[in-house]
Amino acid sequence: MSDAAPPSVLFVCVHNAGRSQMAAAFLTHLAGDRVQVRSAGSAPAATVNPSVVAAMAEVGIDVSAEVPKVLTVDAVRASDVVITMGCGDTCPVFPGKHYLDWQLPDPAGQGVEAVRPIRDEIEARIRGLIGEIAPRRA
């Protein structure tokens, strides 16, 4: 990651309708322009999970206009950090990229009550990630 451009992070899960959307939204919300953020899915859903939209709205982040996107090789190539969340072998791997695999429950088919702890775990992980890749400058 160079000092000239902000680090770029790609969040990947199967449907790009839950975990990766929440992670991308938290990173964008908390880091602003200090990080470039992308998310995608190996088999994207038609829409973002409504329980995810509701759970994120509870913490003041609107993801209702987000649309699940298909994972592309170009998105991986353009990212410094790739964080997978259950996409398994469908995630392309390129040398020189930093890969993390976050084992998180899938919110698919779950109500808001079940999504809240997943949301909170993602927020905590995002806060840690920001400290590693884009700390505030003094």
Side-chain angles (χ1 to χ4, degrees):
M1 289 176 258
S2 83
D3 291 334
S8 57
V9 178
L10 170 64
F11 296 100
V12 183
C13 67
V14 175
H15 300 297
N16 190 222
R19 296 165 289 188
S20 57
Q21 290 286 349
M22 288 190 283
F26 272 124
L27 186 53
T28 299
H29 180 76
L30 296 170
D33 61 1
R34 291 183 292 149
V35 179
Q36 294 176 348
V37 182
R38 298 175 183 86
S39 71
S42 54
T47 61
V48 174
N49 179 331
S51 295
V52 166
V53 172
M56 292 301 285
E58 291 177 351
V59 295
I61 300 175
D62 183 5
V63 296
S64 63
E66 295 299 326
V67 176
K69 296 164 281 306
V70 69
L71 175 64
T72 65
V73 170
D74 289 339
V76 176
R77 272 198 193 110
S79 301
D80 298 308
V81 179
V82 179
I83 299 175
T84 58
M85 302 171 177
C87 70
D89 295 336
T90 62
C91 296
V93 175
F94 292 98
K97 305 293 176 192
H98 183 67
Y99 288 88
L100 298 171
D101 184 42
W102 289 358
Q103 295 295 317
L104 296 161
D106 188 347
Q110 303 292 321
V112 176
E113 291 288 328
V115 173
R116 285 183 188 124
I118 301 167
R119 173 200 66 200
D120 296 345
E121 174 67 19
I122 289 171
E123 180 182 11
R125 290 181 188 219
I126 292 298
R127 289 182 182 280
L129 179 68
I130 292 168
E132 291 176 29
I133 66 169
R136 291 212 181 268
R137 303 205 190 271

